[in-house]
Amino acid sequence: MNPTASRLSARELTLAYEDRVVVEDLDLAVPDGKVTVIVGPNACGKSTTLRALGRLLRPRSGAVLLDGAALSSMPTRKIAQTIGLLPQSPVAPEAITVADLVARGRQPHQHWWQQWSETDERAVAEAMTRTSVAELADRPVDALSGGQRQRVWIAMALAQDTDLLLLDEPTTFLDIAHQVEVLDLVRRLNRDRGRTVVAVLHDLNQAARYADHLVAMKAGRVVAEGPPSAVVTAELVREVFGLDAIVIPDPITASPLVIPSAPWGAPGGV
């Protein structure tokens, strides 16, 4: 895929923390108007790549491009008006309420001549409603459960109202029902609003079910990318995750469903 063919792309991207190179010579084009999910084993570079796409990490070499221009050269406000980012384990200011934290998502849209507006109010209210945190509006964020806090952070990212949304493990701390709720929300945002979404997920089956475009990484490189039906194979699962499995159609969505080989002690196991 041509890395210049989408609004957000990476070209020959190398990322490192001090002397440790995590991602090397990576090309990636994020399909416009689609949900892209990055998967791979722990420490493969998927979250590091997402951080670079959101300009939280400066490349060692190469570039992240937004509308053809290097992200590193763009004003922070312009980036924040275009790219919303939910990082791993964000930290809220002490004693801040849910409503106040979600409202911070509107900061990129504020100007000295125009502060809070009805548009801001609607965006915050809608974001809290969509993430089911409206009833928590007056609660301190640090008094919430892990799952509630995660939904509040997602609400803040939604309130930012950007065309591009980057989510790093958005289902962390959530039980299975809320995981599905959040991923359904992501799909609705894409379908109803045309949002381009890039998410990092650990669960390969969830990734295959919700992604339009799947990117599989290993050791800092893209091993395969494309529609989940083309990417998720038994061979790919073995190569990337070191797991013997079979892949069958999901009975509900027909997306690839990974079934690990029989565990030790089970019929057919080793």
Side-chain angles (χ1 to χ4, degrees), residues 166-255:
L166 311 182
L167 304 172
D168 194 356
E169 300 183 22
T171 55
T172 299
F173 305 122
L174 301 182
D175 59 39
I176 184 62
H178 284 115
Q179 289 178 28
V180 171
E181 180 181 307
V182 165
L183 294 173
D184 282 347
L185 169 62
V186 169
R187 284 270 28 158
R188 287 196 302 273
L189 287 169
N190 165 257
R191 181 190 64 211
D192 300 341
R193 304 292 185 86
R195 298 272 183 92
T196 298
V197 180
V198 185
V200 169
L201 293 179
H202 272 299
D203 190 311
L204 184 55
N205 287 330
Q206 287 184 344
R209 183 176 238 202
Y210 286 94
D212 298 304
H213 187 76
L214 198 64
V215 178
M217 293 185 63
K218 181 181 180 182
R221 297 180 182 273
V222 173
V223 176
E225 63 174 311
S229 59
V231 172
V232 182
T233 63
E235 293 75 20
L236 185 282
V237 174
R238 186 180 303 110
E239 178 185 358
V240 172
F241 294 94
L243 177 69
D244 288 327
I246 62 171
V247 178
I248 63 174
D250 184 302
I252 304 298
T253 64
S255 59

Side-chain angles (χ1 to χ4, degrees), residues 124-136:
V124 169
E126 182 178 351
M128 289 197 295
T129 298
R130 283 178 171 266
T131 52
S132 302
V133 298
E135 69 276 9
L136 305 174

